[in-house]
Amino acid sequence: MAEEGLPNGGSIGYEIFDKSESFGTINFVQNVNLVRALEGELARTIRTMGQVTEARVHLVLPKRQLFSRKRQEPSASIVIKTRGPKKLGKVQVLSIQHLVASAVPELKISRISVIDHRGRLLARAGSPDDRGVIGASDNDEIQRDQEERLVRAIEELPEQSVGIGKVRAQVTAQMNFDRITTNSETYDPEGQVVRSTQNVEEKANSLDQRSGADVTVSNNLPDAKDSKTQNKDNTTNQSSRVEETVNFEISKTVKSHVREMGTVKRLSIAVLVDGTYSLDKDDKRIYKPRSKKEIDDLSALVRSAVGFDTKRGDTLRVVNMRFVNAAESDIDTL
């Protein structure tokens, strides 16, 4: 059976190179065997996870062509079979992506696709984000994860006071899946600084003086007055110019704000709390409801645990009702 390759249900790992006839194998076959061995070893490692029963890994490792500037990046496809109807969580899928990306040279997380045996897409390849897309296109999954996280936070904290199993919570989260990028450029006029100053000052004075008598008949007479005693006309011009140039540097702030999708718009929270019990003389359980102060204290704890915001329109309802145990339910049914 071993000579015929049986059983053939398992994957082949690096033991493929243990065969003696591999010494004279051509380079092409050796490369194919290397890819098969790497796929088998990765599949074995993935199957060690508790929830995974079967796994198959397909690797595409393109060779760089001679005299080619562009090179195709390697990629991987993983098929996983899990136990039960529940699929793998985001953290587990992300760990598988990191495992394969670390084992294959130059393989990015964004080039790894992961699906389960039911054909559900767990991680999509082709995202520009190297962190990988763990079902990010499935908005319902993101909303369910957020609601489950809040339910756990609500139930775990009051259980420390009222008892294990005596608190049940239900959360409905309305979420915004829009991704918004905001770019702003702000100038502060109060933060201005003088960079350079240039002062120019000019002054000009001019005097226009006319001497001698005018050419007239009276001035040419023998008894005409001496020209020195005649009036002289003087004209004076003055001009002044002052110019100042000041260059300022104004502080500038550039901000780029990116708001990722999946923000909570509104929370609707309902909490059901069991009362207290005591035994009477006949050892029968007597139910006693909780006081208003206890309900108010539990409401304050829930608000703090989930980040309750009244401006956002969040609603909270804490109700004290008796829980029906399994024994009482069976009696009522009968």
Side-chain angles (χ1 to χ4, degrees), residues 125-269:
S127 171
D129 192 354
D130 290 343
R131 294 173 298 178
V133 180
I134 316 300
S137 59
D138 190 358
N139 296 338
D140 293 336
E141 181 182 354
I142 299 177
Q143 181 175 342
R144 286 195 301 268
D145 292 340
Q146 179 71 9
E147 292 173 350
E148 292 176 0
R149 184 186 66 83
L150 293 176
V151 168
R152 289 194 301 269
I154 293 173
E155 293 181 351
E156 289 177 358
L157 186 59
E159 280 182 345
Q160 306 300 323
S161 175
V162 300
I164 303 299
K166 292 190 175 183
V167 180
R168 292 292 182 268
Q170 184 69 37
V171 178
T172 301
Q174 297 181 6
M175 306 188 67
N176 184 8
F177 295 98
D178 298 334
R179 182 171 182 175
I180 301 175
T181 303
T182 305
N183 297 322
S184 61
E185 187 171 337
T186 307
Y187 294 89
D188 184 13
E190 301 297 333
Q192 60 185 2
V193 179
V194 178
R195 184 180 65 179
S196 62
T197 303
Q198 181 180 2
N199 296 321
V200 178
E201 183 177 355
E202 294 182 358
K203 292 183 179 180
N205 296 323
S206 62
L207 177 62
D208 186 10
Q209 181 178 3
R210 292 189 302 168
S211 60
D214 297 335
V215 181
T216 60
V217 176
S218 59
N219 290 333
N220 292 322
L221 294 177
D223 56 351
K225 296 180 180 179
D226 190 2
S227 59
K228 295 182 179 181
T229 61
Q230 294 179 355
N231 295 329
K232 297 180 180 180
D233 296 332
N234 298 329
T235 302
T236 303
N237 295 323
Q238 294 182 355
S239 63
S240 177
R241 182 174 70 90
V242 178
E243 179 180 347
E244 182 179 9
T245 303
V246 181
N247 296 322
F248 293 92
E249 285 289 352
I250 301 177
S251 62
K252 179 179 68 173
T253 304
V254 180
K255 293 182 179 180
S256 180
H257 177 70
V258 179
R259 188 178 68 183
E260 295 292 344
M261 64 180 183
T263 58
V264 178
K265 295 174 58 178
R266 185 173 179 268
L267 293 177
S268 298
I269 307 170

Side-chain angles (χ1 to χ4, degrees), residues 22-57:
S22 62
F23 179 76
T25 308
I26 62 176
N27 189 27
F28 174 78
V29 177
Q30 288 282 28
N31 292 333
V32 172
N33 290 337
L34 177 61
V35 175
R36 292 180 60 192
L38 187 57
E39 292 175 347
E41 293 293 334
L42 289 173
R44 290 176 178 176
T45 306
I46 295 174
R47 284 200 301 269
T48 58
M49 299 178 63
Q51 196 174 347
V52 178
T53 58
E54 294 292 336
R56 293 197 64 182
V57 180

